[in-house]
Amino acid sequence: MGLLEASNVVAGYGQTEILHGVSITVEPGEMVTIIGPNGCGKSTLMKAIVGLVKVRSGIVRFQDTDISGYPPEQIVQTRLCYVPQSNNVFASLSIRENLEMGAFTRDDDYRSRIEEMFRLFPDLAMQPGRKAGTLSGGQRQMLAIARAMMLDPVLLLLDEPSAGLSPAMMGTVFERIREVNQAGVALLLVEQNAREALRMSDRGYILVAGENRLEDAGKDLLSNPEVARLYLGG
Ligand SMILES: Nc1ncnc2c1ncn2[C@@H]1O[C@H](COP(=O)(O)OP(=O)(O)O)[C@@H](O)[C@H]1O
Ligand SMILES: [Mg+2]
């Protein structure tokens, strides 16, 4: 059994159905990327998995437990954590305070975990008192990931972590993401920078108009000429 199994997920907003029965799996320790055109439902799928959008039919299983219908705060407790694309840090709080907020449901001593995050994200360790609102886009993304990591996730969902970053910053953020995965955390990634993301991913899914289009190993999607032409910009 996979770590995460989303089967035939139907979800949407109001009268509008966006996901028409999407299925994806993530195995323990895997890195999996979802790509697809704007508006095809990638973010909606992530929100459905973490309970922010209702699963109308289908099922989401995490570690063999049916979590479809769980509220978001209960899903976080299962160590499935999610970093949304924007508004993912508290701008008026410092780096350290953001990490403390990330740990607010932990009742053990989380200070050593903060130090671990500073080792994993040296870019954050230099000025722990700096307000998140004054950070660069890349530093903010790293803080958002580190904050989610405070709860020691088994699976981390990242929605477009490299969006809007300079190429250099994008490289740094991808490098940190790879290190998070190497530390044993399974990752499900949505990315517009599809080539870079697929290069470091075990598998990828292409989603089109709320349906599965294609699923393959990351390197096989990259070397598929039709995929390159249609979804990777040639
Ligand atoms: N809160 C919302 N209310 C209504 N429609 C939404 C909402 N969020 C997204 N949508 C619509 O759902 C569709 C899929 O959006 P989204 O999942 O964000 O796509 P993607 O992440 O693949 O770009 C789009 O047509 C979008 O306009
Ligand atoms: Mg999106």
Side-chain angles (χ1 to χ4, degrees):
M1 287 286 256
L3 178 64
L4 177 76
E5 291 184 24
S7 304
N8 299 309
V9 171
V10 173
Y13 307 94
Q15 303 290 343
T16 315
E17 185 179 294
I18 302 293
L19 304 177
H20 310 296
V22 172
S23 300
I24 62 158
T25 62
V26 179
E27 301 297 323
E30 247 192 337
M31 187 181 320
V32 174
T33 293
I34 302 170
I35 64 173
N38 257 334
C40 72
K42 303 180 295 296
S43 295
T44 302
L45 176 60
M46 287 202 155
K47 289 177 194 163
I49 291 170
V50 299
L52 292 167
V53 164
K54 189 177 177 320
V55 176
R56 295 178 180 178
S57 73
I59 189 167
V60 179
R61 260 194 223 93
F62 182 60
Q63 295 185 312
D64 294 339
T65 302
D66 178 0
I67 60 166
S68 20
Y70 277 28
E73 57 277 13
Q74 193 179 354
I75 290 178
V76 161
Q77 294 302 320
T78 69
R79 295 169 66 195
L80 195 176
C81 298
Y82 160 68
V83 179
Q85 188 180 340
S86 50
N87 299 322
N88 50 23
V89 296
F90 297 102
S92 62
L93 299 184
S94 70
I95 289 175
R96 183 180 287 279
E97 287 164 343
N98 266 278
L99 296 179
E100 287 167 358
M101 288 296 287
F104 82 107
T105 56
R106 279 177 80 132
D107 42 22
D108 55 342
D109 185 3
Y110 53 77
R111 270 169 298 188
S112 64
R113 184 69 179 169
I114 291 183
E115 297 314 312
E116 277 174 50
M117 288 307 105
F118 283 151
R119 277 194 292 279
L120 195 55
F121 298 91
D123 326 71
L124 302 176
M126 290 183 283
Q127 294 170 285
R130 189 160 159 192
K131 294 264 187 291
T134 70
L135 298 174
S136 73
Q139 290 169 320
R140 217 174 308 148
Q141 281 302 335
M142 287 188 266
L143 177 58
I145 296 168
R147 191 164 77 88
M149 285 285 286
M150 286 301 294
L151 291 176
D152 204 3
V154 174
L155 173 63
L156 191 55
L157 271 50
L158 303 178
D159 196 348
E160 302 211 24
S162 78
L165 303 185
S166 69
M169 244 320 164
M170 191 175 99
T172 307
V173 169
F174 276 140
E175 187 53 37
R176 295 295 173 271
I177 288 172
R178 195 201 307 268
E179 285 163 6
V180 164
N181 181 238
Q182 281 165 353
V185 182
L187 291 178
L188 181 62
L189 217 62
V190 163
E191 259 304 332
Q192 291 294 336
N193 294 301
R195 276 179 201 282
E196 288 74 9
L198 288 174
R199 217 170 272 140
M200 59 181 195
S201 294
D202 300 298
R203 288 185 305 116
Y205 288 87
I206 297 175
L207 216 64
V208 178
E211 294 179 355
N212 289 77
R213 176 60 54 90
L214 198 59
E215 170 198 349
D216 213 337
K219 61 173 173 18
D220 293 328
L221 287 175
L222 281 171
S223 63
N224 179 328
E226 190 170 321
V227 169
R229 185 169 60 81
L230 289 174
Y231 307 109
L232 305 176

